[in-house]
Amino acid sequence: MDKSRVKLKVDNISQSYVVGDEVLDAILNVSFDVYDNEFLVILGPGNCGKTVLLNVIGGLEKPTGGKLYLDGEEIVGSDKRISMVFQELALMPWKTVMENVEFGLQIEGVDKKTRREIAQKYIDLVQLTGFEKSYPSQLSGGMKQRVGIARAYTSNPEILLMDEPFGQLDAQTRYSMQEEIQKIWQQEKRTILFVTNNIEEAIYLGDRIILMSKSPGKIKEIYDIDLPRPRNSMDPEFLAIRKEVSENTDLAL
Amino acid sequence: MSVSDPNHLNESEYVESVRRERKRSQYQSAILSVIGILGFLILWQLSLVTGLVNSRFLSSPIEVVSLFITKLTDPRPDGAVIGANIVSSLIVALSGFGLAIVIGIPLGLLMGWYKGIDSFLRPIFEIIRPIPPVSWIPLTIVWVGIGLQAKAMIVFFAAFVPCLINSYTGIRQTREVLINVAKTFGASDFTTFLKVGIPYSMTMTFAGVKVAIGNAWATLVAAEMLAASSGLGYMILMGRQFGRVDLVILGIAVIGLIGTLITIIINAVENKILGWRKL
């Protein structure tokens, strides 16, 4: 992480929805900087607007207020330099692993040979070599999410948004995927914004943690996690941070 | 040894025994199906032989088969050999059905994806939808006579509705998150329609195509019985006029068999295109 270089500037972003006769604020005046090659975790209870924030950054929703700057330039809507890993296992069931991974490049109009080469590199990186021709229904939950990660990497983004990517995995697979994503990130440095509601996951992965309060979603606290990697969740320092963050977190109902 | 079982078979023997077991069960169900059909035919034949049913009202399966063989070369009494009747009916059914696919499916997909097109066309469609296809018969006779076009048009009306409804419903069910995947990669709405919406809708669309071919084939006979000079429906109608029960039954049997054949072909095509579903 290079604290001197701001990669993404989130400036006073608000998002609200009209529900019935009322205006409901999902997130309110959220501002923070994301540094280059940082692993930034956005942590918060359910319904605190984490996903909304990520959707706004990913250009899937137009915010009601505020601006986004990537490398100092304002961005509006979805941007090729930002890629997303989704909460649900958002794979096309009719496409093979290879076809899913190369999807982004196909949209960009990259020729088949080139995109196969690039996709293969990331399939190898997420350790799915040999499964290129399998369909998603033939894969386990962890493998499906690896495909999702490979797909996001393949379009060579500068920022990766990950929306609770391991939320639907069983505990064991989740731990191994956390290690995996850390390794991948260390091999292929990118700026990652990782949303989770799991405190341990946040402390295990994050360079920094942005803790959000709920309804409307606001930034409550930003923690710098200076523990060496890979981290040990039994380490006293880890546990101390965990206690601190945990006590500061709003309860989700 | 990776497989443990009481008989201490090694792995390849075990695989072999499971395979044999599966084959035997397939074989058994095939035998049962054949017995079912044969039993039905025997009962049918017996009911006539024993005099349980008057042969003026029903001909026996043997008579029907022998008539089929005769009709292969003899155009009497309806004026065409059976092959010509089958071809004539197939041409009508397939042209109406083909037209329904070519028009119905794209229209359904566009209506399902683009809200504007939906609002514009849906009211008209909702009014046309409940009209029974055969009620178009008199009008089509006035418009285009009793030729191929008229019959194809009636078949079209019957097959068009399920094609449109299913592709429409199918594409509207496209998972939001898959659309978002395409969006984050910078896909335009039209590209998303092509690459995500259409493939997603294919399962439903195919179900619609199956209903459509059934409807097409069923309506064809109705159309031919009212306005035609050849075809299986026409042959059935002539059978009635000449008091030839065997001719009527032959027509019905051939329609049933061809319908089954078409279903088999459609299923094969579906397995080819939607093979990923079975995995």
Side-chain angles (χ1 to χ4, degrees):
Chain A
M1 172 171 72
D2 182 1
K3 274 210 171 195
S4 61
R5 252 197 92 200
V6 174
K7 185 76 194 164
L8 179 79
K9 190 174 181 59
V10 176
D11 186 18
N12 220 7
I13 292 282
S14 296
Q15 177 70 310
S16 51
Y17 304 101
V18 176
V19 180
D21 300 332
E22 291 175 72
V23 175
L24 211 88
D25 293 315
I27 44 175
L28 198 61
N29 304 331
V30 172
S31 298
F32 60 90
D33 290 342
V34 187
Y35 304 117
D36 201 22
N37 289 341
E38 176 181 24
F39 201 124
L40 178 67
V41 176
I42 300 170
L43 174 68
N47 271 330
C48 73
K50 312 183 289 281
T51 298
V52 173
L53 180 60
L54 222 55
N55 285 347
V56 167
I57 297 172
L60 295 173
E61 290 183 36
K62 201 174 171 299
T64 39
K67 281 176 179 170
L68 294 164
Y69 299 92
L70 181 60
D71 290 332
E73 278 172 49
E74 192 181 342
I75 52 166
V76 178
S78 63
D79 192 288
K80 258 176 61 178
R81 290 169 291 177
I82 302 177
S83 174
M84 203 155 172
V85 178
F86 291 85
Q87 184 172 18
E88 302 161 74
L89 302 169
L91 303 180
M92 319 277 167
W94 60 89
K95 285 181 185 287
T96 60
V97 167
M98 172 57 83
E99 288 163 350
N100 266 294
V101 172
E102 67 175 6
F103 183 66
L105 295 174
Q106 195 191 359
I107 299 262
E108 283 175 40
V110 177
D111 70 276
K112 191 161 177 173
K113 192 166 166 285
T114 316
R115 68 180 194 238
R116 288 266 144 123
E117 270 167 28
I118 299 171
Q120 189 64 50
K121 177 184 163 196
Y122 290 103
I123 289 174
D124 296 345
L125 184 69
V126 299
Q127 295 177 22
L128 283 176
T129 319
F131 289 96
E132 292 84 358
K133 287 182 179 150
S134 302
Y135 285 92
S137 59
Q138 295 169 303
L139 304 179
S140 69
M143 290 162 92
K144 284 184 198 167
Q145 204 48 278
R146 283 163 196 260
V147 177
I149 292 165
R151 177 175 60 190
Y153 263 99
T154 300
S155 59
N156 199 21
E158 292 168 23
I159 299 179
L160 276 157
L161 308 176
M162 301 194 179
D163 183 11
E164 298 191 39
F166 310 143
Q168 294 186 350
L169 303 178
D170 59 88
Q172 217 50 50
T173 316
R174 190 167 184 154
Y175 292 134
S176 76
M177 284 305 292
Q178 286 167 6
E179 277 177 44
E180 198 70 30
I181 194 74
Q182 178 163 286
K183 265 191 230 154
I184 293 170
W185 171 69
Q186 282 167 337
Q187 279 179 47
E188 287 267 338
K189 280 274 176 163
R190 301 292 152 85
T191 307
I192 294 184
L193 262 81
F194 187 103
V195 158
T196 183
N197 58 17
N198 184 310
I199 297 175
E200 269 183 38
E201 187 168 89
I203 303 169
Y204 184 78
L205 291 174
D207 285 327
R208 285 190 304 152
I209 297 173
I210 292 183
L211 179 65
M212 290 184 71
S213 63
K214 59 171 200 160
S215 44
K218 283 183 190 165
I219 295 182
K220 195 164 186 180
E221 187 90 54
I222 298 181
Y223 297 92
D224 278 297
I225 312 294
D226 282 329
L227 304 174
R229 293 172 188 271
R231 291 164 185 164
N232 178 356
S233 60
M234 287 302 150
D235 188 58
E237 275 186 82
F238 190 107
L239 292 171
I241 298 168
R242 191 200 142 130
K243 187 161 180 284
E244 191 189 337
V245 176
S246 172
E247 278 165 2
N248 204 6
T249 305
D250 296 350
L251 281 179
L253 291 176
Chain B
M1 202 173 85
S2 59
V3 183
S4 64
D5 76 313
N7 300 325
H8 303 292
L9 299 170
N10 69 30
E11 200 171 317
S12 68
E13 282 171 339
Y14 183 64
V15 168
E16 196 49 48
S17 79
V18 168
R19 226 176 249 163
R20 228 179 298 134
E21 192 55 44
R22 276 189 202 145
K23 225 173 221 167
R24 188 182 305 154
S25 106
Q26 275 177 359
Y27 186 65
Q28 276 173 348
S29 62
I31 293 272
L32 276 175
S33 308
V34 172
I35 291 176
I37 294 172
L38 278 180
F40 172 75
L41 292 175
I42 289 168
L43 272 179
W44 178 3
Q45 183 79 28
L46 277 180
S47 70
L48 287 152
V49 171
T50 57
L52 206 69
V53 179
N54 189 328
S55 62
R56 270 182 53 209
F57 303 129
L58 188 66
S59 12
S60 73
I62 292 174
E63 284 170 329
V64 173
V65 171
S66 73
L67 176 66
F68 175 75
I69 293 163
T70 321
K71 280 287 290 174
L72 283 174
T73 51
D74 185 0
R76 284 175 301 167
D78 55 292
V81 295
I82 187 102
N85 281 327
I86 291 173
V87 168
S88 155
S89 289
L90 273 178
I91 288 172
V92 172
L94 294 182
S95 47
F97 173 65
L99 208 62
I101 286 184
V102 171
I103 296 176
I105 292 177
L107 205 59
L109 293 172
L110 288 170
M111 279 168 68
W113 194 261
Y114 295 102
K115 232 179 148 38
I117 300 180
D118 189 25
S119 314
F120 182 65
L121 288 178
R122 199 161 164 86
I124 305 171
F125 174 68
E126 285 299 339
I127 292 167
I128 293 174
R129 183 160 86 131
I131 302 172
V134 286
S135 61
W136 294 100
I137 290 175
L139 207 54
T140 50
I141 293 175
V142 172
W143 286 345
V144 286
I146 62 166
L148 169 70
Q149 286 169 318
K151 286 173 286 177
M153 206 160 143
I154 292 156
V155 170
F156 166 79
F157 282 122
F160 170 74
V161 172
C163 283
L164 190 146
I165 291 188
N166 275 54
S167 53
Y168 175 84
T169 317
I171 203 164
R172 281 179 67 109
Q173 284 171 351
T174 310
R175 280 176 62 203
E176 187 75 30
V177 66
L178 295 183
I179 296 173
N180 282 344
V181 169
K183 263 196 211 164
T184 55
F185 284 128
S188 67
D189 191 38
F190 184 66
T191 309
T192 311
F193 169 66
L194 288 183
K195 300 267 182 209
V196 180
I198 292 180
Y200 196 92
S201 74
M202 274 304 130
T203 309
M204 276 291 280
T205 304
F206 244 97
V209 168
K210 280 191 198 168
V211 176
I213 188 73
N215 283 7
W217 198 235
T219 317
L220 163 87
V221 176
E224 281 182 343
M225 286 168 84
L226 286 164
S229 50
S230 68
L232 292 167
Y234 180 73
M235 188 178 91
I236 292 173
L237 188 73
M238 287 299 112
R240 195 199 75 187
Q241 281 185 2
F242 293 121
R244 289 277 303 273
V245 181
D246 55 346
L247 200 62
V248 175
I249 293 175
L250 175 64
I252 293 172
V254 170
I255 286 167
L257 286 174
I258 292 178
T260 312
L261 214 67
I262 292 173
T263 309
I264 290 170
I265 293 168
I266 297 257
N267 283 340
V269 174
E270 184 183 26
N271 283 342
K272 187 112 188 133
I273 296 180
L274 300 176
W276 55 268
R277 276 192 318 177
K278 293 223 161 152
L279 297 166

